Amino acid sequence: MASTATDPDRESRTSISAIPMHELEPSPVDEETDPFDSSASLPLPATSKKTTSSTNFLGLTPSRTIHLLSSIQKYATVGPSIYLTLHYANTALIPLFTQSLHKSDNLLLLTRPYYQSFPIEPLLIFAPVVAHVASGIALRVYRRRQNAKRHGAETHSERRRIPWPKLSLTSALGYALYPMFVAHVLVNRITPQKVDGGSSGVGLRYFAYGVARHPVLANLGYVAMLGVASWHFVGGAAKYLRVSREYVTEGGDYGARKRRRRGWIVNALSAVVAGAWIAGGLGVVGRGKDGGWQSWETANWDRIYKAVPLVGRWM
């Protein structure tokens, strides 16, 4: 005779399976349980690895921290972009239009006080550039740290095996541009300030004299800097405007062709910007003399170039 006793385990499984899925409260996979939270209903297994708090020392969640650092990195480019537009016009477009070193230098010296005076210059250029680079580095370090936590890497040897986030071409060019930018500021702003107490006499003619004195070093250095800067600025602008190739959402052959087309457009525009900058900055300004320079000018410029740290002794 079959037993009519009820199986408690079977009834429990039946009652659980009868609950509709939409009535179950979702559990976010991004959040981790705090082992020191007294509200936790279930104890952690004895073999479980130590989990981490969902907030950092500032009280921010990982997603909020990444959003904050990304916002700093993005909006710190506003000031330098304004400056770059003015500087590009003065060093590339105006020389190409006038075909004259003297006229281009006069226009540069006429407009430069508006964006090189204190406190506009530090707030418009230097502070945002430092914030942009620092937030980018902090973002990479924080993302790698979060990856290490997700993989349970606790020891130093375990963390070393966690790969760094992928470095895009735009970011790599930005890191390569930073020491070039520092050297450019050192030669054209910091050293003249130290030697002359200001940079009022440092303009396009000062730059042209430096190119004439050291043509190989100057041409190679500036071609590299202008090329890297153009690709970084155009690629970064395309990314922030969400028109670069990584924002193509279509799949299949159509999406692949669209991504290639976006890449070609960004590269072509970067080449145009770099070509105009090199043609104006080195082709017109770098080769222009407009009747030569006065002896008192060259003597003062020589003092400035020789005072440049590290490389001044060879200049």
Side-chain angles (χ1 to χ4, degrees):
M1 182 175 179
S3 174
T4 59
T6 303
D7 186 356
D9 293 338
R10 181 177 180 181
E11 285 186 356
S12 176
R13 290 193 297 269
T14 304
S15 62
I16 292 175
S17 62
I19 300 176
M21 293 298 294
H22 66 271
E23 294 182 6
L24 296 177
E25 184 178 357
S27 177
V29 297
D30 291 336
E31 296 181 1
E32 298 179 357
T33 303
D34 187 354
F36 302 104
D37 188 359
S38 59
S39 63
S41 57
L42 295 176
L44 291 175
T47 58
S48 173
K49 288 191 174 183
K50 181 180 65 177
T51 59
T52 57
S53 174
S54 59
T55 59
N56 56 23
F57 69 97
L58 295 176
L60 301 176
T61 61
S63 60
R64 184 62 179 170
T65 302
I66 291 177
H67 176 73
L68 179 62
L69 291 174
S70 299
S71 298
I72 294 174
Q73 186 186 34
K74 178 178 180 180
Y75 293 109
T77 61
V78 174
S81 298
I82 296 174
Y83 166 78
L84 177 65
T85 302
L86 298 173
H87 193 61
Y88 186 80
N90 284 328
T91 58
L93 301 182
I94 291 177
L96 284 175
F97 179 76
T98 62
Q99 292 294 309
S100 171
L101 169 61
H102 182 71
K103 292 179 181 179
S104 300
D105 191 46
N106 287 340
L107 290 173
L108 172 69
L109 296 177
L110 182 65
T111 59
R112 192 172 61 180
Y114 292 102
Y115 58 84
Q116 281 195 353
S117 59
F118 184 85
I120 296 178
E121 187 178 46
L123 295 177
L124 191 67
I125 307 170
F126 300 133
V129 168
V130 172
H132 178 69
V133 176
S135 59
I137 296 175
L139 194 59
R140 287 183 54 79
V141 172
Y142 187 77
R143 281 174 172 164
R144 184 174 184 267
R145 182 180 178 185
Q146 291 302 113
N147 288 337
K149 288 182 178 180
R150 291 190 187 98
H151 288 81
E154 297 181 354
T155 65
H156 179 68
S157 60
E158 290 176 343
R159 289 193 293 267
R160 288 181 59 184
R161 291 195 292 267
I162 301 299
W164 285 90
K166 183 179 179 181
L167 188 65
S168 66
L169 177 61
T170 301
S171 297
L173 292 175
Y175 290 123
L177 177 62
Y178 191 71
M180 300 179 188
F181 168 77
V182 172
H184 183 71
V185 172
L186 188 64
V187 172
N188 294 278
R189 296 292 290 141
I190 297 178
T191 304
Q193 181 75 29
K194 180 180 178 181
V195 174
D196 276 351
S199 57
S200 58
V202 175
L204 296 181
R205 300 177 74 246
Y206 166 81
F207 169 76
Y209 178 69
V211 175
R213 284 196 58 188
H214 305 281
V216 176
L217 178 63
N219 280 278
L220 290 178
Y222 274 96
V223 165
M225 186 182 73
L226 299 182
V228 170
S230 299
W231 258 267
H232 177 68
F233 296 146
V234 175
K239 179 181 178 181
Y240 288 153
L241 295 175
R242 304 181 73 87
V243 296
S244 55
R245 58 181 297 171
E246 58 262 33
Y247 291 101
V248 176
T249 58
E250 292 83 357
D253 293 338
Y254 175 76
R257 289 194 302 269
K258 192 173 182 180
R259 279 187 287 271
R260 284 196 298 268
R261 187 164 59 249
R262 291 281 181 91
W264 292 337
I265 292 174
V266 171
N267 287 331
L269 185 57
S270 301
V272 170
V273 171
W277 212 344
I278 293 171
L282 292 174
V284 177
V285 175
R287 297 183 179 180
K289 294 184 179 180
D290 285 0
W293 300 284
Q294 301 294 326
S295 59
W296 63 271
E297 287 181 310
T298 59
N300 188 49
W301 291 339
D302 284 334
R303 288 195 308 118
I304 296 175
Y305 279 120
K306 290 183 180 298
V308 175
L310 299 179
V311 298
R313 67 181 69 180
W314 297 289
M315 300 181 69

